[in-house]
Amino acid sequence: MKVDLTLKDVLEAKERIKDICVKTKLIYSPEFSRESGNEVYIKPENLQITGAFKLRGASNKISKLSDEQKQKGLIASSAGNHAQGVAYSAQKLGIKATIVMPETTPFIKVQSTKNYGANIVLKGKVYDEAYEEAKRLKEENGYTFVHPFNDVDVMAGQGTIALEIIDELKDVDAIIVPIGGGGLISGISVAAKSINPDIKIIGVQAEGANPMKISFDTGKLTYADKVDTIADGAAVKQPGDLTFEVIKEYVDEIVTVSDQELMEAVFVILEKHKLIAEATGAMSLAALKRLNFKGKKVVSLISGGNIDVVTIASLLNKGLFSRGRIFCFSVNLQDTPGQLLKIAQILAEEGANVIKLEHNQFKSVDRLKHVGLEVTVETNGYEHIEDIVKKLNDHGYDVHRVC
């Protein structure tokens, strides 16, 4: 099956959406460049009007609808970012929009979509269940369905990202793109490869939601029975058949990343660049460690930043531990005065900031002679932790890592 998507379609989409979407400028990342051994630039689509790239594809699709279709109204299914793109575009054009979202969608995405005037229907635990409900409502009410990825006009809109990247960084060697259903990477790969076939297009999926990688590796479109990842925006069990055909032809490689790597990427993005990315949005930065080349100019796309405060607080907390910025350990001390002071002095000399300390006589093998001490400290990373442990060992303390 040949998908009729060309560079011409993407160029026309660029003109069609220029007054709706903003051009997001590349940001050079010293931190990710150092860690990956490449020259890394961030494409911050989290700074798009609706907080994600999805506005591009939705606005291109909706702008092409007939007057009759616009009058009857639109319907879409989405975990959040496509929903906001459809809602915003529909509001700009005065069109009624209904959005079906999974019941697990973060509150911020539901509320933001409502704020753009859309009618919200919550259905199912994952995207695919919301999709089935949207199809039912489409037939029942005569709405036009705006697919989040498996649509040529949507792909063309997403492809405008590649035009902006190449316009700003003409000698880009590789573009790393998150994959859920495949619409984003389809548009980007067609545009980029049509301009310069030597640009490598690398897709990223979460380990717990990777049916497109399996499809790509086997050459056969494959669906997942279940998905399990913190990257809710890419938790798609059924990737598109149209996007699969494009990906087979234009994409060079697809890699996977773990949820822990996603949490670390979210943490580094916020700490080093003061940018907020949702877990799905951080996939392409987490994937930098998977690259099998060095010294190249690489663009990693932050696909979205719509994340609620509670979720980001949890991710950042876990990121602190996974990056070695928080260290929790226990030691047994002699049950004599001054032992706690010795530990405090060692930690002070090593520059470790004590966050929490629990001095518990009941956390030891022999509480008649020893007491248990559990300490949580703020550190500068794994090397700092090693220095702390060595110093404690040198003073005769047996350190047990708690977390």
Side-chain angles (χ1 to χ4, degrees), residues 327-332 365 373-375 389 392-393 397-403:
F327 176 43
C328 183
F329 67 93
S330 67
V331 293
N332 277 345
V365 177
L373 177 67
E374 186 171 294
V375 186
V389 172
L392 289 167
N393 290 159
Y397 296 107
D398 187 14
V399 179
H400 299 275
R401 182 160 191 160
V402 177
C403 58

Side-chain angles (χ1 to χ4, degrees), residues 227-299:
V227 289
D228 182 14
T229 175
I230 61 171
D232 61 286
V236 177
K237 291 194 291 186
Q238 298 184 16
D241 57 343
L242 300 182
T243 59
F244 176 56
E245 293 301 318
V246 176
I247 287 170
K248 282 197 301 183
E249 182 176 355
Y250 290 95
V251 173
D252 295 285
E253 181 184 3
I254 297 177
V255 301
T256 59
V257 294
S258 68
D259 280 358
Q260 179 172 323
E261 289 170 319
L262 291 176
M263 287 186 286
E264 288 187 25
V266 170
F267 176 82
V268 176
I269 293 164
L270 180 59
E271 183 180 50
K272 300 300 182 181
H273 292 284
K274 316 309 177 204
L275 292 171
I276 294 177
E278 56 195 272
T280 305
M283 288 170 70
S284 64
L285 288 162
L288 288 167
K289 296 178 181 178
R290 297 282 188 269
L291 301 182
N292 57 10
F293 53 79
K294 304 288 183 182
K296 302 295 185 180
K297 291 186 177 181
V298 179
V299 172

Side-chain angles (χ1 to χ4, degrees), residues 25-29 32 41-48 265-278 282 285 300-302 304-305 307 312 316:
K25 299 293 184 180
L26 295 178
I27 300 169
Y28 173 68
S29 175
F32 285 107
Y41 295 83
I42 295 170
K43 178 67 169 171
E45 280 296 291
N46 55 321
L47 301 182
Q48 192 55 253
V266 170
F267 176 82
V268 176
I269 293 164
L270 180 59
E271 183 180 50
K272 300 300 182 181
H273 292 284
K274 316 309 177 204
L275 292 171
I276 294 177
E278 56 195 272
L285 288 162
S300 283
L301 174 67
I302 298 181
I307 182 170
I312 196 168
L316 292 178

Side-chain angles (χ1 to χ4, degrees), residues 360-373:
N360 193 335
Q361 285 184 315
F362 294 93
K363 283 192 174 181
S364 63
V365 177
D366 181 5
R367 68 184 182 90
L368 296 177
K369 296 181 180 180
H370 298 86
V371 295
L373 177 67

Side-chain angles (χ1 to χ4, degrees), residues 1-6 152 242 245-246 249-250:
M1 175 175 58
K2 179 68 175 177
V3 178
D4 188 20
L5 176 63
T6 67
V152 172
L242 300 182
E245 293 301 318
V246 176
E249 182 176 355
Y250 290 95

